[in-house]
Amino acid sequence: MATVTATVTKLAATITKTITAASSTASSVNRVSPQGGILEGANPSVYQSSNPIILFIIQAGIIVVFCRLLHIPLSRIKQPRVIAEVLGGVLLGPSVCGHIPGFTAAIFPTASMPNLSNVANLGLILFLFLVGLEADLRFLTSNWRIALSVGALGMALPFGLGCAIAWGLYHQFHNEPGLVPISFGVYMLFVGVAMAITAFPVLCRILTELNLLHTPVGVIVLAAGVGNDVVGWILLALCVALVNAGSGLTALWVLLVCTGYVTFLFLVVRPAFLWLLRRTGALDNGPSQGMVALTLLMALGSAFFTGIIGVHPIFGAFLIGLICPHQGGFAVKITEKVEDLVGAIFLPLYFALSGLSTNLGLLNSGITWGYVVGVIAVAFFAKVTGGTLAARLNGRVWRESFTIGALMSCKGLVELIVLNIGLQAKILSTTTFTIFVVMALVTTFITTPLTSALYPRAYQIKLEAWKRGEIDWESQPVSDEKGASGDALSYEKPRNVEVTRLLAYLRLDAMPGVLTIISLLGKSTDMPTRERLHPSKGEAADADQKYNAHVVTKRPVQIYGVRLIELTDRDSSVMKVTEEAEFSNRDAVVNTFRTFGQINQMAVAGSVVVTPESNFASILKERAAEVSADMMLIPWSGSGAMSDNISSFLDEHLDQRFVNSTYSHFVASSLKHSSCNTAIFVDRGFGTQRSSETHSLKRSLSVLSMGDLISSPLAPIIDRGHHIYMPYYGSTDDKVALRLVLQLAKNPAITATIVHFELPDCDPLRTTSSHPFPSPIKASFNTTNEKMVEQSRPTSAPATFFATMRDSLPDALRSRVIFESCSTTEPFEGTITKGQREVGRSPGMSRDLIVVGRNWEMSASLTMGLSAVVPSMGSEAQRCLGVIADGLVANKVEASLIVIKSAGTGS
């Protein structure tokens, strides 16, 4: 009995130990990861298949930050961002950082690469969809002849030479490990495509940043690039289909199915999609969230289909981008919804993966470096030669042709996509992949500086003048009767005459004041009005003919409005440039300007220019020269920034606009480059009526308080009169300003006071006057047309001009325009004091206006006699406006200002 008991006890103990051990083993195996994370000692850089997102965030953060830092210095030399992204991947890969012990194993372990690759490839599919959206086939159809020749020869020559060098590459590297056994024909096709393709998205960016998009070179390259892009992707799809096909018959079936699918998309899906967009109003009002989701699902579905039939998924996404309409800006608006995530996160990951797959250490032999040089030479010189010859055969001059060839040689990110596909399909080994990556970087890097050297702005101006017959090839003016009588007059326009052509910079925050000035200056006051006749009446046609003939003889001032929009690094911004004409027709500011001009019977034209912010001043100069403008009107920013968004609380700190130096630099650059008279307009409510209501809500908005901001309707402005005050000192700027005031005064709603401050020929530091405004007036007209009193003949040139303008004043203006003269040793204080007296006399008038010359060269004379530091809006604003206008603003004189700088005066 005791033996049995002992045996049972031992058995129970054994079972207990076994259960305990099994329990502890299961507990150790199935234990969840520490929920405290790093607080429990977990290492976030260790890859966990059950929680891969932590390491992915580390990888993505390192790649994005590293690429952005690299792009900062490269952007200074106008290099595309793809250069920084690929270089970042190369530096993070085995070529550089891979030599740091443990770096690759810790940051880019092999087990984590599939997750990184999946996210990158999703971004690639979306990016090719954006490339399809950007490739507007209308450029190809409208310029098909020269686009076909440049694109065909620009692809045929590098394709042929690429096939030649492919023979050496194939026999040198096809035995490397990891490659699939393919025929030389397939390999040759792939290398030929890699040599012949052009990076269309990067090409658009380069053309836009160099302001070449609307030049003949830009139009030709853009049209040829669209065709090159489409043909290149088709050839790549063919190559991938041949690689993936098990037999020739399978490859034939893949090509037939792909052809049928493309036909189905363009003939069935595209019309149905257009019908749906029109039905839902997406073309007119922009895509809703549902339409954006549908479009992206179409892109993903198309990528899925082309992937399962043996063609790469990116080809399907590209096709959906091609069939999306550009009408109503739909393609641009879809791009705006998607591009930031793709460009900021997905693409850097993809191109960094290209760099991680690049190992410069494999280029370790003379034969390998020989092929590096050979591939670069074939890719560059064959592309340049093909594009140059095609352009020359179409009538371009040699330098223009070389520029076209250089631009077509740009490889960029499209080349890298092709190479990655070849690496994934095991067509290229790591060594040949590295060779081609170096080629892509070199050809992309050299495109911008080479184009800038071949086709600078000075050469473009000379070439256009030569084509118009204005100069010969040696830049000498053509001396014939027509040139002597006509063109010479256009080159030597008098600067001190009335404004007949005005270029206005349109800003949303300054539109009310700008439109008021334009209406005063440009409206034809003698435009006849007539009662309309019904078209069925026989006299209607004769009446229209007589009316139109009268209108032609009474042509008003021509006003050209230009709205400048900053070109950003977004693809949608570049698309706006390529669709600039259509975008101008949709822009609300330009349409408001056109409509205002038509309603007020003015001759107006408006356009939109999308350009880098640094080019704003040069664009205004070029547009002024194109339209032969007599004057350029530049409104001052409402916030001091280049952006023209209206601030809801601008009135609270109205003069803070002068603190920001960004806009001051732009205005200073515009004054420096201007070849015509320039008017800087500082709007302080000119022509507007402000509500007397005040709101207690300050500096913040909320849903609950928005109802309190609803204002009562303003009563119509009954008195539309304006009073102008102008101080005159005798400079060239003042003479232009005086003529502008007299031209504005032809409008019966304008009254003006023009004061000549006669400066003594004495020491500028002399301070003898005891009165802020010396008042002995030598000559004046009063409102009742009385004769001049105490008139003395002027002895100086400024006084002579002033007296001439006063004496030649038409009788119709004598009741509304007053000339005064005074001698002073304190012109600054006298001008301010007189201005404070002149403006605000009639409360019914919708704000007053002060017109003053900039007179920067006279600063010392104008500030003589001052014993203390005067208020100023800052040195930058003072240099743009001049000391007098700066003092008027700083002393809060309640009037809007126009500051005049004449052409040819100092900067």
Side-chain angles (χ1 to χ4, degrees), residues 364 392 629 735:
N364 54 7
R392 181 59 180 163
K735 294 176 182 178

Side-chain angles (χ1 to χ4, degrees), residues 516-690:
T516 303
I517 291 178
I518 288 174
S519 66
L520 296 175
L521 182 66
K523 185 175 181 179
S524 179
T525 57
D526 57 353
M527 188 74 72
T529 58
R530 67 182 179 88
E531 184 179 353
R532 297 290 302 178
L533 297 177
H534 194 276
S536 62
K537 302 294 184 181
E539 299 85 358
D542 295 336
D544 288 341
Q545 186 175 1
K546 294 178 181 179
Y547 177 77
N548 293 335
H550 184 80
V551 169
V552 172
T553 59
K554 301 293 183 180
R555 184 166 185 158
V557 176
Q558 300 176 33
I559 302 174
Y560 301 86
V562 178
R563 175 160 162 77
L564 301 179
I565 297 179
E566 181 186 4
L567 174 70
T568 65
D569 57 355
R570 292 181 170 91
D571 292 333
S572 60
S573 184
V574 179
M575 293 171 68
K576 291 177 183 177
V577 181
T578 59
E579 303 175 17
E580 213 166 70
E582 186 176 346
F583 187 70
S584 297
N585 293 331
R586 300 194 308 266
D587 185 77
V589 174
V590 174
N591 282 331
T592 300
F593 171 72
R594 291 195 189 108
T595 304
F596 180 84
Q598 293 171 357
I599 292 175
N600 289 275
Q601 299 177 333
M602 296 187 298
V604 298
S607 62
V608 173
V609 178
V610 184
T611 186
E613 189 176 286
S614 58
N615 293 339
F616 276 18
S618 60
I619 289 295
L620 290 178
K621 174 189 174 183
E622 292 172 7
R623 288 302 173 96
E626 289 174 4
V627 302
S628 301
D630 305 306
M631 180 171 287
M632 183 166 57
L633 177 63
I634 303 177
W636 198 276
S637 169
S639 60
M642 294 302 298
S643 173
D644 60 356
N645 293 328
I646 298 178
S647 173
S648 301
F649 300 96
L650 183 60
D651 296 341
E652 188 175 346
H653 301 288
L654 195 60
D655 292 332
Q656 292 300 313
R657 66 176 87 176
F658 300 100
V659 177
N660 193 333
S661 63
T662 304
Y663 201 79
S664 300
H665 291 160
F666 157 70
V667 174
S669 181
S670 300
L671 295 175
K672 181 179 180 180
H673 293 96
S674 176
S675 58
C676 65
N677 300 327
T678 305
I680 306 170
F681 175 51
V682 180
D683 185 17
R684 300 175 69 90
F686 186 61
T688 61
Q689 180 180 359
R690 302 195 178 188

Side-chain angles (χ1 to χ4, degrees), residues 72 155 413 492 643 680 708 741 897:
I72 293 175
M155 289 192 73
L413 46 82
E492 299 179 1
S643 173
I680 306 170
D708 298 334
V741 171
L897 275 81

Side-chain angles (χ1 to χ4, degrees), residues 131-132 134-156 193 196-201 203-204 207 218-236 315 318-319 322 383 408 414:
V131 171
E134 195 171 351
D136 192 350
L137 296 178
R138 293 177 296 182
F139 279 101
L140 182 61
T141 56
S142 59
N143 303 279
W144 67 271
R145 189 183 301 276
I146 191 168
L148 181 62
S149 57
V150 172
L153 191 55
M155 289 192 73
V193 171
I197 204 164
T198 297
F200 179 73
L203 194 61
C204 290
L207 289 172
V219 173
I220 293 170
V221 169
L222 197 64
V226 172
N228 196 310
D229 207 36
V230 175
V231 174
W233 290 116
I234 293 174
L235 291 177
L236 180 63
F315 185 64
F318 176 75
L319 290 175
L322 281 181
K383 198 74 174 175
M408 294 298 292
V414 174

Side-chain angles (χ1 to χ4, degrees), residues 725 772-773 827-838 888 893:
Y725 162 60
F773 183 73
F828 182 89
E829 292 187 3
T831 302
I832 302 299
T833 304
K834 181 64 174 176
Q836 292 171 337
R837 294 176 182 177
E838 282 291 328
L888 290 168
V893 178

Side-chain angles (χ1 to χ4, degrees), residues 224-492:
V226 172
N228 196 310
D229 207 36
V230 175
V231 174
W233 290 116
I234 293 174
L235 291 177
L236 180 63
L238 172 63
C239 184
V240 173
L242 292 175
V243 172
N244 293 334
S247 63
L249 183 61
T250 304
L252 178 61
W253 277 112
V254 170
L255 294 178
L256 290 176
V257 172
C258 189
T259 303
Y261 178 65
V262 172
T263 305
F264 173 75
L265 285 179
F266 277 89
L267 297 183
V268 178
V269 176
R270 189 174 189 274
F273 189 48
L274 278 172
W275 176 85
L276 181 61
L277 293 177
R278 292 193 182 99
R279 183 69 179 269
T280 58
L283 289 181
D284 300 324
N285 306 320
S288 62
Q289 190 178 71
M291 292 309 302
V292 173
L294 175 62
T295 307
L296 293 178
L297 286 175
M298 289 171 58
L300 294 176
S302 181
F304 168 78
F305 181 78
T306 55
I308 64 174
I309 65 173
V311 184
H312 201 280
I314 63 173
F315 185 64
F318 176 75
L319 290 175
I320 295 298
L322 281 181
I323 68 171
C324 285
H326 287 254
Q327 294 92 328
F330 178 80
V332 175
K333 293 171 184 175
I334 286 290
T335 303
E336 290 175 340
K337 307 292 184 184
V338 183
E339 62 184 342
D340 283 346
L341 182 61
V342 174
I345 302 295
F346 288 152
L347 275 187
L349 297 184
Y350 183 82
F351 293 121
L353 282 177
S354 300
L356 291 172
S357 302
T358 303
N359 189 354
L360 297 179
L362 297 176
L363 308 179
N364 54 7
S365 64
I367 187 66
T368 304
W369 276 107
Y371 276 111
V372 171
V373 175
V375 168
I376 293 174
V378 169
F380 179 73
F381 290 106
K383 198 74 174 175
V384 171
T385 303
T388 300
L389 292 178
R392 181 59 180 163
L393 291 174
N394 281 275
R396 302 287 108 184
V397 298
W398 276 113
R399 196 164 175 178
E400 242 182 346
S401 302
F402 276 117
T403 306
I404 292 172
L407 286 166
M408 294 298 292
S409 69
C410 179
K411 301 296 183 185
L413 46 82
V414 174
E415 175 74 12
L416 295 169
I417 294 172
V418 172
L419 298 179
N420 275 278
I421 292 174
L423 184 65
Q424 294 170 5
K426 299 182 179 180
I427 301 174
L428 299 179
S429 65
T430 305
T431 303
T432 52
F433 176 81
T434 302
I435 291 174
F436 278 91
V437 167
V438 173
M439 178 270 290
L441 290 175
V442 171
T443 54
T444 304
F445 188 90
I446 201 174
T447 301
T448 299
L450 183 60
T451 302
S452 300
L454 286 172
Y455 206 59
R457 182 59 188 164
Y459 179 77
Q460 297 174 40
I461 296 173
K462 171 189 172 181
L463 186 62
E464 289 301 316
W466 176 75
K467 289 180 178 179
R468 291 192 301 265
E470 298 172 355
I471 61 174
D472 59 21
W473 192 247
E474 301 300 328
S475 301
Q476 298 299 321
V478 177
S479 56
D480 54 21
E481 294 182 0
K482 181 179 179 180
S485 61
D487 292 342
L489 295 177
S490 65
Y491 282 112
E492 299 179 1

Side-chain angles (χ1 to χ4, degrees), residues 501-523:
R501 294 186 178 185
L502 176 71
L503 180 76
Y505 171 31
L506 303 180
R507 291 180 56 90
L508 181 62
D509 54 3
M511 283 300 287
V514 170
L515 293 179
T516 303
I517 291 178
I518 288 174
S519 66
L520 296 175
L521 182 66
K523 185 175 181 179

